[in-house]
Amino acid sequence: MAPAPTRRRGEVPTDFAALTSAVLTSIGSVIDGKPEAIRSALVCLLAEGHLLIEDVPGVGKTMLARALGASVDASVRRIQFTPDLLPGDVTGVSVFNPVEREFEFKSGAIFANIVIADEINRSSPKTQSALLEAMEEQQVTVDGRTHRLPSPFLVVATQNPLEMEGTYALPEAQRDRFMMRISMGYPDARAEALMLRQRETTNPLDALSPVVTSRQVEDLIAAARAVHVAPALEDYAVALAQATRTHGDLRLGASPRATLQLVRAAKVWAALDGRDFVIPDDITALLGPVFAHRLLPPRAAGGARGTGAADAVAAILDRIAASVRVPIAARV
C-alpha cells in the first residue's frame, strides 16, 4: 500500500484544496463575477452553519443556492415560503395508517442535506419558527417524537429587503440561527452581458453535475474543524463580541452563538486559503457577514432593519474592529 501523501506544517490536505476548488469552480460557472458570495456559501456549508441571502429581486439569490445544491451529490429541496405555508409542510406531520392502526410520521421538506428556503419572510412567524429547532439542533420534534435530520445539513434562505407589504420580518432568534448574511449585489457590465449570451437558449444549471459527494463534504467539515485557533485569537473573537454588547450605539449585541460561529467560519476561511491555522485577518474578514445581521442600532438610525440601520451597523463594526487590540504572534 502506498504511503499517505505528506504535507508541510501550516498547509491543509491536498484533497481539501482540490475538492473545494472544484465546488467553487462549479458554482462559478453559473454565478459569474460573485466570488465572495460563492465563497461565503461554501464557508457556511463546511462550518456547519446556515446562510441568509438578502438582496433585491433578480440578482441570483436562489440561483446561487441551487448551484451549490447541484454541485454536491446530496439531497436538495426547495421550499417556497408563502403566507399559507404551514409548519407541518416544513417539518412533517403524523398521519394515521388505517392498515397498521397507528400514526406514522411523514417527513416534511426540511429533511434534506441542503434546504433552500426561498423568500423566507413571506411566511408567518409561526411557520418561520418551524426552522428554529432544525437549524440549531439538526432535528425536528413532532408529536413528542424527535427525528434526526441528514448530515451534512445546510439551510440557505433568501429574502427581499424591499416590498415589505405582506411580509414578516425575521425575529432576532431566527436571524441569530444564520451563521452569515450576505448580499449578491448587481453584476458588472461584463458579467451581465455574458449572462445574456449564456442563457439565451439554455439554463446553465442544467449543465451542472455533482463534483463532491455528501461523504466527501463530511470529510471536508472534519478537516476544517482541525484547523488550529490560538488562544489569543479566541480571546480576540470574544473581545470583538463583547465590544458589541457594551457599545452605546447598539441596542442588541452579538450572542455567544455568534462568537462560536465566527471562529468556526474563520477556520474554514483559513483552510480555503491553504492554511491549517487561523490568523486575525480571517476573523476581521468575517466580522460583518457573521455579526451585522444580529446587531440592532438605535431606532433613530432608520429602524431595526432598514437601509440606514445596515449602514449604521457597518460603521459601528468598523469602529469596533479598529478599537479592539489585534493579537500579535510572539517571536520564536
Side-chain angles (χ1 to χ4, degrees), residues 16-282:
F16 185 97
L19 292 174
T20 53
S21 177
V23 175
L24 294 172
T25 301
S26 176
I27 302 174
S29 67
V30 176
I31 308 296
D32 188 61
K34 297 296 176 184
E36 298 87 359
I38 296 172
R39 182 179 172 117
S40 295
L42 183 58
V43 166
C44 283
L45 175 63
L46 301 186
E48 299 179 283
H50 305 288
L51 179 65
L52 176 62
I53 309 176
E54 186 176 276
D55 215 324
V56 297
V59 293
K61 300 186 297 295
T62 306
M63 185 70 77
L64 172 60
R66 292 179 62 191
L68 175 62
S71 301
V72 178
D73 187 14
S75 56
V76 181
R77 288 187 178 178
R78 178 177 179 270
I79 309 174
Q80 181 63 56
F81 278 69
T82 56
D84 60 346
L85 189 73
L86 298 176
D89 298 327
V90 177
T91 61
V93 295
S94 295
V95 178
F96 184 73
N97 185 331
V99 177
E100 301 292 336
R101 305 184 69 83
E102 62 181 16
F103 284 90
E104 60 182 32
F105 179 69
K106 297 293 184 181
S107 60
I110 197 68
F111 282 82
N113 294 113
I114 299 176
V115 178
I116 304 171
D118 206 13
E119 296 188 278
I120 188 174
N121 58 332
R122 293 199 178 277
S123 284
S124 67
K126 181 179 180 180
T127 301
Q128 292 175 9
S129 65
L131 292 169
L132 290 174
E133 182 185 11
M135 293 173 67
E136 177 63 17
E137 302 177 43
Q138 203 172 327
Q139 65 182 33
V140 296
T141 303
V142 178
D143 292 337
R145 297 186 61 183
T146 298
H147 307 271
R148 293 293 300 175
L149 295 171
S151 184
F153 177 66
L154 169 71
V155 174
V156 181
T158 70
Q159 69 173 1
N160 175 6
L162 306 176
E163 299 178 337
M164 290 294 102
E165 296 81 4
T167 63
Y168 305 87
L170 295 179
E172 281 62 46
Q174 186 84 57
R175 296 170 72 87
D176 196 50
R177 295 299 201 276
F178 289 99
M179 173 175 280
M180 298 172 65
R181 181 192 65 183
I182 64 170
S183 296
M184 299 290 292
Y186 290 112
D188 58 32
R190 184 199 62 81
E192 193 165 1
L194 179 62
M195 179 191 70
L196 294 178
R197 292 190 294 270
Q198 287 181 335
R199 303 184 188 183
E200 184 67 26
T201 57
T202 60
N203 186 340
L205 276 173
D206 297 336
L208 287 189
S209 57
V211 294
V212 294
T213 65
S214 58
R215 177 60 183 271
Q216 287 174 318
V217 170
E218 290 183 322
D219 291 340
L220 294 174
I221 291 172
R225 283 198 199 122
V227 171
H228 176 67
V229 183
L233 285 179
E234 294 174 340
D235 293 340
Y236 179 53
V238 171
L240 289 168
Q242 289 185 332
T244 67
R245 299 166 195 162
T246 58
H247 199 284
D249 292 336
L250 291 174
R251 292 187 290 121
L252 179 66
S255 66
R257 181 191 288 121
T259 313
L260 177 63
Q261 293 186 344
L262 176 62
V263 173
R264 285 179 177 174
K267 286 185 174 185
V268 179
W269 196 268
L272 291 176
D273 281 345
R275 286 178 280 105
D276 66 355
F277 58 90
V278 172
I279 62 176
D281 286 349
D282 300 325

